[in-house]
């Protein structure tokens, strides 16, 4: 069989590459070793973890506790079946949508294990044991990653699990140790903590989520400690023993952490070990990752591309899709879509975190004079209505140009709210966008305005609001002059004193 464009892997990047190439009129085949299409994203990663999160928040009544008290529950005894049923329904729906998308775009799908025979030929081992040889002019390697399973961790699929196995949960544990405070570990640790599971997080480094603004991390940790989550920072798991069938993590330095279940979520490796890359003239690094040209996603063999998690950072479904699309455009000799300067990072912990642009530490390193504006979500009327107690939005602006440099949010709706800041950032917008524009009321998005005014209070105003109100004539139904009422909410001098 011969195809113009062959994709190995049907995750977000493979799918997007395949559909895009097909839209350019190429014959396209996707090879997928899994029973169903969708990749890690649909079956063990993004969608299941987010569905689990949503189920937990709904069944526990988490979002309503600000109003009805910490004892409020929608369903008192939540069992594994409650968590899993929504998961299965969501996944079913996702797979159906993908199957339909492939069929609609005439993308062929072959179920089987792919490995290279040479740079243009791939052998596919089908489930029944037969093999097929596929010839391709262009190939995209979009095989993603799988959990890292070090030899000293006694995985057993029940009490010591990786993030894939966690989704086969048969019983909600009463206590959980999470090893690894990366995004995945943090998401599951906080989801289970919201479920009233006693969670202890073990992390070898002293800091975690170090790409996130430290002020947010501090607020986040405060919220987690407040609800009883334990932290063993700067601690490495030396080995795991079992006492009465329960895993006990033995940490360097001698501390022991006992729990009903242990989730090992300290890293992932590229799924390249069975691809016979050497036959294609390629090799992976010690984490199974491929190196590519960051603009075109070509490997060193120009007609072979690699996209998605297999190329490493940022390992997000959102970015993987874009990489797949860019690779397909290049392979089909089409103009490459413009790459935005900033992409958002979403961490679906409880509470969620989202960030785009530079954090304060990064801005400081550039030497740019800057100012920050902060809003607490509870300061907004929407926050009052929702009974929010925590959450903050922080923006960083250049003092010289007033340009927005970064947006950092922790709290309800963070992963949605961040897109307002992302648009302003990528369009080169300034503080004035937030000051001059009207936001729907009552919304959490109003926090942008509050944070902007907070920053404005401390920055030398570009122009006097009153003078501007006189200068700008109102256009009916469109722009309003800035009323003097938006003058600093607090006395700037008072703020300076506080600083
Ligand atoms: C728990 C968890 C939560 C996550 N949450 C988020 C999130 O909230 N937001 C976000 O943006 N990202 C999230 N991610 C990351 C996201 O899932 C990945 O970025 C995304 O799935 C990567 O897509 P991909 O196309 O590179 O490959 P994958 O989705 O990993 O798919 C690769 C596919 O290739 C197939 N394959 C591998 N080897 C072969 C072979 N030899 N032959 C044939 N087929 C093969 C695999 O079966 C798989 O289906 C999460 C990940 C995890 C694990």
């Amino acid at each position: 069989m011969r195809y113009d464009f062959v994709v190995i892997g049907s995750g977000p990047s493979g799918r997007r590459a395949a559909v895009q190439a097909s839209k350019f009129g190429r014959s396209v085949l996707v090879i997928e070793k899994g029973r169903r299409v969708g990749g890690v994203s649909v079956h063990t990663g993004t969608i299941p973890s987010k569905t689990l999160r949503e189920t937990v928040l709904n069944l526990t009544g988490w979002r309503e506790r600000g109003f009805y008290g910490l004892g409020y529950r929608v369903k008192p005894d939540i069992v594994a079946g409650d968590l899993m049923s929504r998961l299965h329904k969501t996944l079913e729906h996702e797979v159906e949508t993908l199957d339909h998308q492939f069929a609609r775009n005439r993308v062929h799908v072959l179920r089987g294990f792919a490995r290279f025979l040479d740079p243009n030929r791939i052998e596919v081992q089908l489930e029944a044991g037969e093999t097929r040889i596929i010839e391709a002019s262009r190939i995209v390697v979009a095989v993603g990653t799988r959990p890292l399973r070090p030899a000293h961790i006694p995985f057993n699929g029940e009490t010591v699990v990786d993030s894939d196995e966690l989704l086969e949960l048969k019983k909600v544990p009463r206590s959980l140790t999470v090893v690894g405070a990366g995004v995945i570990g943090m998401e599951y640790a906080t989801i289970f903590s919201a479920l009233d599971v006693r969670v202890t997080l073990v992390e070898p480094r002293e800091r975690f989520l170090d790409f996130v603004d430290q002020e947010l991390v501090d607020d986040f940790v405060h919220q987690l400690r407040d609800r009883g989550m334990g932290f063993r920072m700067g601690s490495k798991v030396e080995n795991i023993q079992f006492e009465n069938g329960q895993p006990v993590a033995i940490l360097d330095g001698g501390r022991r952490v006992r729990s009903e279940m242990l989730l090992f979520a300290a890293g992932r490796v590229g799924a390249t070990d069975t691809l016979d890359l050497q036959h294609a003239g390629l090799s992976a690094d010690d984490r199974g990752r491929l190196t590519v040209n960051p603009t075109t996603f070509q490997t060193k063999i120009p007609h072979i591309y690699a996209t998605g998690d297999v190329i490493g950072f940022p390992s997000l479904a959102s970015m993987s899709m874009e990489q797949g699309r860019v690779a397909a455009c290049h392979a089909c000799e089409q103009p490459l879509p413009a790459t935005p300067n900033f992409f958002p990072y979403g961490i679906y912990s409880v509470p969620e975190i989202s960030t785009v642009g530079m954090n304060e530490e990064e801005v400081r390193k550039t030497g740019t004079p800057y100012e920050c504006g902060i809003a607490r979500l509870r300061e907004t009327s929407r926050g009052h209505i929702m009974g929010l107690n925590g959450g903050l939005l922080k923006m960083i602006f250049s003092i010289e140009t007033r340009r927005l440099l970064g947006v950092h949010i922790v709290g309800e709706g963070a992963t949605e709210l961040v897109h307002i800041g992302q648009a302003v950032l990528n369009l080169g917008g300034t503080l004035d966008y937030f000051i001059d524009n009207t936001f729907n009321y009552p919304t959490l998005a109003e926090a942008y305005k509050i944070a902007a005014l907070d920053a404005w209070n401390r920055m030398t105003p570009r122009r006097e609001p009153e003078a501007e109100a006189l200068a700008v004539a109102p256009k009916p139904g469109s722009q309003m002059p800035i009323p003097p009422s938006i003058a600093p909410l607090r006395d700037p001098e008072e703020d300076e004193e506080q600083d």
Side-chain angles (χ1 to χ4, degrees):
M1 285 200 277
R2 217 205 142 274
Y3 284 88
D4 297 331
F5 193 86
V6 170
V7 182
I8 310 176
S10 67
S13 66
R15 174 197 356 152
R16 193 55 76 90
V19 169
Q20 186 66 73
S22 165
K23 288 195 190 295
F24 290 136
R26 304 299 192 272
S27 58
V28 180
L29 174 73
V30 171
I31 306 168
E32 172 54 60
K33 74 174 170 61
R35 225 166 25 85
R36 311 196 65 184
V37 295
V40 164
S41 175
V42 170
H43 298 284
T44 53
T46 317
I47 307 296
S49 55
K50 265 79 268 180
T51 309
L52 193 68
R53 179 182 191 275
E54 200 60 28
T55 312
V56 167
L57 295 187
N58 288 340
L59 292 185
T60 56
W62 181 264
R63 291 188 176 105
E64 305 301 323
R65 288 189 194 167
F67 247 112
Y68 301 117
L70 290 178
Y72 178 75
R73 300 284 180 281
V74 169
K75 186 172 188 298
D77 295 309
I78 300 168
V79 295
D82 297 324
L83 303 178
M84 294 302 133
S85 62
R86 183 162 176 163
L87 195 65
H88 294 144
K89 273 189 203 147
T90 313
L91 301 195
E92 201 54 43
H93 184 70
E94 282 278 321
V95 172
E96 238 174 64
T97 309
L98 293 184
D99 278 338
H100 181 57
Q101 191 186 27
F102 281 151
R104 220 173 45 226
N105 286 287
R106 295 190 169 69
V107 171
H108 294 174
V109 178
L110 184 61
R111 301 232 148 71
F113 241 104
R115 64 182 193 94
F116 283 99
L117 294 177
D118 61 44
N120 286 94
R121 287 186 316 141
I122 295 167
E123 182 191 83
V124 184
Q125 176 101 43
L126 308 183
E127 221 175 24
E130 294 166 58
T131 53
R132 296 265 162 81
I133 311 290
I134 311 292
E135 275 189 54
S137 312
R138 301 277 187 275
I139 297 169
V140 177
V141 179
V143 293
T145 54
R146 58 164 186 269
L148 176 73
R149 289 172 64 101
H152 71 289
I153 305 295
F155 292 101
N156 58 21
E158 286 196 3
T159 54
V160 179
V161 296
D162 65 23
S163 61
D164 288 2
E165 293 165 334
L166 185 70
L167 299 167
E168 311 285 317
L169 196 71
K170 297 197 178 57
K171 180 174 167 269
V172 177
R174 276 189 299 181
S175 52
L176 175 73
T177 303
V178 177
V179 180
V183 173
I184 295 171
M186 196 49 93
E187 286 188 0
Y188 280 129
T190 57
I191 290 170
F192 276 84
S193 152
L195 201 53
D196 292 328
V197 173
R198 190 166 45 79
V199 176
T200 308
L201 194 66
V202 181
E203 165 62 43
R205 290 170 307 159
E206 291 294 344
R207 274 184 70 178
F208 56 80
L209 303 181
D210 40 17
F211 58 96
V212 177
D213 194 278
Q214 193 54 40
E215 203 163 354
L216 256 77
V217 176
D218 292 344
D219 187 273
F220 180 67
V221 171
H222 174 76
Q223 292 193 45
L224 300 186
R225 283 196 196 279
D226 202 40
R227 63 187 209 235
M229 243 178 83
F231 292 86
R232 301 283 182 276
M233 302 304 294
S235 303
K236 229 171 157 177
V237 175
E238 289 205 319
N239 68 70
I240 290 166
Q241 297 173 355
F242 290 89
E243 282 174 15
N244 300 326
Q246 293 191 350
V248 182
I250 315 293
L251 311 185
D252 56 353
R255 283 188 91 173
R256 299 155 68 86
V257 186
R258 181 202 304 265
S259 55
E260 277 192 9
M261 187 184 253
L262 182 143
L263 166 66
F264 187 86
R268 299 181 65 86
V269 285
T272 48
D273 52 342
T274 54
L275 279 177
D276 282 347
L277 288 172
Q278 70 282 7
H279 294 164
L282 293 171
S283 58
D285 68 11
D286 59 349
R287 282 255 172 159
R289 291 171 300 209
L290 289 168
T291 305
V292 291
N293 171 329
T295 311
T296 63
F297 298 99
Q298 288 168 291
T299 62
K300 68 175 184 180
I301 309 296
H303 71 276
I304 304 181
Y305 297 76
T307 57
D309 283 12
V310 75
I311 63 168
F313 184 82
S315 296
L316 287 173
S318 50
M319 288 301 283
S320 299
M321 289 188 228
E322 283 313 293
Q323 294 167 356
R325 190 163 74 97
V326 171
C329 290
H330 190 266
C332 299
E333 286 139 27
Q334 299 294 321
L336 299 190
T339 326
N341 291 330
F342 303 100
F343 63 87
Y345 219 108
I347 304 169
Y348 292 82
S349 40
V350 183
E352 59 193 67
I353 297 178
S354 201
T355 165
V356 65
M358 282 190 276
N359 62 39
E360 197 173 337
E361 217 171 321
E362 287 166 339
V363 174
R364 212 177 297 139
K365 277 189 195 146
T366 66
T368 311
Y370 69 95
E371 195 46 270
C372 300
I374 287 184
R376 308 256 156 211
L377 298 187
R378 63 165 189 264
E379 289 177 76
T380 64
S381 298
R382 184 83 204 170
H384 302 155
I385 294 168
M386 293 168 78
L388 296 185
N389 292 323
L392 67 86
L393 182 149
K394 168 174 176 175
M395 285 195 283
I396 308 173
F397 299 97
S398 155
I399 291 179
E400 278 164 10
T401 64
R402 301 169 74 84
R403 286 272 290 262
L404 176 64
L405 302 175
V407 178
H408 310 278
I409 314 173
V410 57
E412 187 63 30
T415 53
E416 296 283 354
L417 283 172
V418 78
H419 296 115
I420 298 173
Q422 182 194 354
V424 177
L425 194 65
N426 276 322
L427 292 168
T430 64
L431 171 72
D432 304 293
Y433 172 84
F434 302 99
I435 302 280
D436 295 351
N437 278 280
T438 305
F439 287 70
N440 272 335
Y441 174 86
T443 55
L444 292 181
E446 245 196 302
Y448 274 103
K449 188 137 197 148
I450 299 171
L453 288 166
D454 184 41
W456 187 68
N457 284 342
R458 291 187 228 134
M459 287 164 69
T460 314
R462 177 180 47 113
R463 48 198 186 188
E464 288 302 320
E466 268 184 45
E468 183 178 348
L470 294 172
V472 182
K475 282 188 222 144
S478 64
Q479 196 182 359
M480 300 277 285
I482 299 175
S485 60
I486 68 157
L489 292 177
R490 296 181 217 131
D491 180 352
E493 275 175 29
E494 212 176 86
D495 274 340
E496 260 164 41
E497 264 170 38
Q498 281 170 5
D499 286 344

